[in-house]
Amino acid sequence: METPPVIIHVGVSKTGTSTLQEEVFPSHEGIDFRFWPAEDQIPQLYDCLYADTIYDDEARFEACAQAIAGSHRGATRPILYSREHLTHQRYEKGVMADRLRRLFGKARIVITIRNQFDWIESSYIWDQQILRTPWQGLPPSMEGYLAGQWKERWRSRLSSGDFGAIVRCYVELFGRENVCVLPFEEFVGEPDLFARRLFGFLDVDATHGRALMEGKHRNPRLGARERSFLRWQAWLVPLALQRLCARWRLPSPLTAWLRGGPRYRAP
């Protein structure tokens, strides 16, 4: 019996990945969704993916590739993996693409991208979540955030946002016909088209996939009211009481009001 196709969704983060991973892929009856193997499921997988070059030996990769192939035996539906952090590696983009090819063989690749200005703003706002635990530190200003990203640009989000370089690596290694690039804006503004392209590439029912997408939104952007509330709470409440405040449950009407209204926009 022929093994069904293997598809790897490599990211990028803040492009609807959590919604796909938690709401859509697991619920589609035509997909064998495996998210990503745990460290104890595939021996040495993480060593092969993230090890320094000195440990990049052929025997290790061959053993790991055989273990992955063995885990696919008996599958009857397209096998789908998804891990957005595969595009966050600290080294040259082609390294991760090459290692995935060596481990998974002839796989299909899904890459979700986003307008970079909106993407870097969304990433910054996501990092504002640290306001919920201010004893761990407070988030920087937008200027400070960008300065920090630039200082560590070879391994920061700025590097992960070089979508053209990422796509070229996968096209060269897996073939253009095996790489599907999907914009987040299409997911939000043209979901019918997004579903046809994505699920057509996966060779599964696009109508069912589109229905699963309806009304789903994981990790929504922080509301402007809630962000202001958290910011003032972090500044006004003594640090010694912050942990206690984090345990308090606000009245439901107040929580609903804080989370309502316009979304926060970075300056």
Side-chain angles (χ1 to χ4, degrees), residues 67-174:
I68 292 173
S71 71
H72 295 164
R73 293 193 187 100
T76 58
R77 298 171 295 167
I79 300 167
L80 175 60
Y81 295 98
S82 180
R83 185 176 175 86
E84 63 267 35
H85 301 296
L86 293 172
T87 55
H88 290 182
Q89 69 276 13
R90 65 187 183 278
Y91 27 72
E92 193 270 326
K93 298 302 176 189
V95 172
M96 182 60 71
D98 179 65
R99 290 179 173 181
L100 288 172
R101 181 188 58 80
R102 294 165 64 186
L103 292 170
F104 290 88
K106 189 178 180 181
R108 300 178 190 175
I109 304 297
V110 174
I111 305 174
T112 47
I113 62 173
R114 186 175 185 174
N115 174 284
Q116 280 104 328
F117 288 104
D118 295 334
W119 175 77
I120 197 68
E121 181 194 27
S122 181
S123 300
Y124 167 72
I125 293 173
W126 175 252
D127 287 352
Q128 296 282 303
Q129 299 287 341
I130 198 173
L131 283 168
R132 301 183 189 280
T133 56
W135 55 88
Q136 295 182 0
L138 294 175
S141 65
M142 187 63 172
E143 292 80 3
Y145 177 79
L146 290 174
Q149 293 289 310
W150 179 252
K151 184 177 181 180
E152 302 286 335
R153 56 190 175 276
W154 59 88
R155 61 180 179 181
S156 72
R157 288 191 184 274
L158 295 182
S159 176
S160 301
D162 191 354
F163 303 145
I166 294 171
V167 171
R168 281 194 298 273
C169 290
Y170 285 96
V171 166
E172 291 173 3
L173 290 167
F174 292 88

Side-chain angles (χ1 to χ4, degrees), residues 205-227:
D205 184 4
T207 302
H208 181 39
R210 173 66 182 91
L212 293 172
M213 291 167 51
E214 188 66 35
K216 301 299 193 303
H217 187 188
R218 285 282 183 168
N219 299 332
R221 178 176 293 211
L222 196 66
R225 296 170 184 168
E226 187 176 15
R227 192 259 180 186

Side-chain angles (χ1 to χ4, degrees), residues 8-56:
I8 308 174
H9 174 214
V10 299
V12 178
S13 63
K14 306 310 298 175
T15 60
T17 51
S18 294
T19 301
L20 292 172
Q21 292 165 347
E22 299 175 26
E23 301 285 355
V24 181
F25 293 153
S27 302
H28 199 295
E29 298 173 352
I31 298 174
D32 183 355
F33 181 57
R34 306 194 178 188
F35 193 29
W36 195 249
E39 291 190 52
D40 58 348
Q41 288 180 305
I42 305 295
Q44 298 188 327
L45 173 61
Y46 287 78
D47 291 339
C48 290
L49 283 177
Y50 302 115
D52 294 329
T53 308
I54 192 172
Y55 298 110
D56 188 1

Side-chain angles (χ1 to χ4, degrees), residues 177-196:
E177 70 282 2
N178 292 317
V179 178
C180 180
V181 182
L182 298 164
F184 173 77
E185 290 76 14
E186 195 173 277
F187 182 31
V188 175
E190 299 180 82
D192 292 339
L193 175 59
F194 183 93
R196 288 198 303 272

